[in-house]
Amino acid sequence: MNKMESHCLMCTQPLKITISWKMILTKQFSPTLCERCAARFAPSQSATSLYQYNEAMKDYLHQLKFLQDVALAKVFRQELYNRLTKEKAIILPIPMHPLKQQERTFSHTDELLKAAHIPFIQLLEKTTTETQSSKNREQRLHVAPLFRLKEGAQVEHKNYLLFDDIKTTGTTLQHAENVLMQAGAKNVQYFTLIEG
């Protein structure tokens, strides 16, 4: 139908993309990675994550989160769209602390969902600026609550799907789930881009 050229978001190699009616009619996003870069990511065997944590994913997260390359939020948009578009539960991205978000200029979990055109709401607030990755397993298990409900949030009798970029020990997701369940949520599941 129509040829369009763009570049791989990881290595900047030119991508030749043919826009077809199928792409338009079936909600197919334009590819953002060359075949070589795409092959470096290892699919997860888990039903609750898309990918495994490996060297390629480490590079990706570093570039997205710490080098603030928000364009990289588009890399996995097709996979996230395919997995989450029919989700019946209310999707809640794990929030960043406001100071951390100000420092980073964007919330990577929000941007991943926006890039995939997945609707979400934010009912939780992060209560600490500390990251779980800076703690050992023992410290992670004995930490004060990481989240609280936003002022006026009503969660009773509803199903939620927590979304985060990576699950390592699961402490962050567990804290968020506890807050929601204690406030009367009916059910809380989770889904992550990566399992660590």
Side-chain angles (χ1 to χ4, degrees):
M1 195 177 148
N2 207 335
K3 285 213 184 294
M4 184 176 101
E5 188 166 302
S6 64
H7 293 86
C8 174
L9 291 178
M10 293 301 288
C11 72
T12 71
Q13 287 276 63
L15 295 174
K16 296 243 186 300
I17 300 164
T18 303
I19 306 291
S20 68
W21 282 111
K22 185 184 178 212
M23 275 178 85
I24 295 164
L25 297 173
T26 59
K27 190 67 173 185
Q28 295 287 309
F29 294 101
S30 298
T32 54
L33 293 179
C34 67
E35 285 181 21
R36 201 188 79 204
C37 286
R40 293 181 61 217
F41 295 103
S44 171
Q45 303 309 306
S46 157
T48 56
S49 298
L50 284 176
Y51 292 95
Q52 296 172 35
Y53 187 72
N54 63 7
E55 205 54 43
M57 202 49 91
K58 183 179 173 185
D59 294 345
Y60 169 80
L61 284 179
H62 179 75
Q63 210 171 322
L64 173 68
K65 292 163 78 166
F66 303 105
L67 301 182
Q68 301 173 344
D69 191 349
V70 73
L72 289 180
K74 294 178 180 174
V75 168
F76 303 111
R77 64 187 174 179
Q78 188 68 58
E79 294 87 339
L80 285 170
Y81 176 84
N82 293 349
R83 169 58 180 80
L84 297 175
T85 192
K86 293 184 174 73
E87 182 58 53
K88 302 262 188 287
I90 298 164
I91 297 174
L92 299 179
I94 293 292
M96 292 173 76
H97 189 278
L99 292 176
K100 207 66 156 177
Q101 189 164 331
Q102 200 174 357
E103 187 182 294
R104 204 171 280 167
T105 71
F106 64 91
S107 165
H108 55 284
T109 51
D110 289 7
E111 293 302 324
L112 287 164
L113 292 172
K114 283 181 197 170
H117 300 184
I118 300 298
F120 63 90
I121 60 172
Q122 195 50 271
L123 295 175
L124 299 171
E125 292 176 336
K126 186 106 189 264
T127 57
T128 173
T129 54
E130 287 182 3
T131 60
Q132 291 303 294
S133 59
S134 65
K135 298 176 181 156
N136 66 33
R137 185 176 175 78
E138 192 62 29
Q139 290 169 320
R140 287 180 197 187
L141 296 172
H142 301 290
V143 72
L146 301 176
F147 304 100
R148 66 175 168 241
L149 278 183
K150 280 188 157 189
E151 185 92 22
Q154 297 293 315
V155 301
E156 292 90 352
H157 318 301
K158 294 182 187 136
N159 295 322
Y160 295 96
L161 182 77
L162 294 167
F163 174 73
D164 206 357
D165 58 342
I166 187 166
K167 175 188 180 268
T168 43
T169 62
T171 305
T172 301
L173 292 159
Q174 189 64 58
H175 276 252
E177 179 186 344
N178 291 346
V179 170
L180 292 166
M181 291 305 284
Q182 285 166 12
K186 185 175 170 185
N187 185 28
V188 181
Q189 302 289 322
Y190 72 85
F191 187 76
T192 60
L193 177 63
I194 311 148
E195 60 177 343

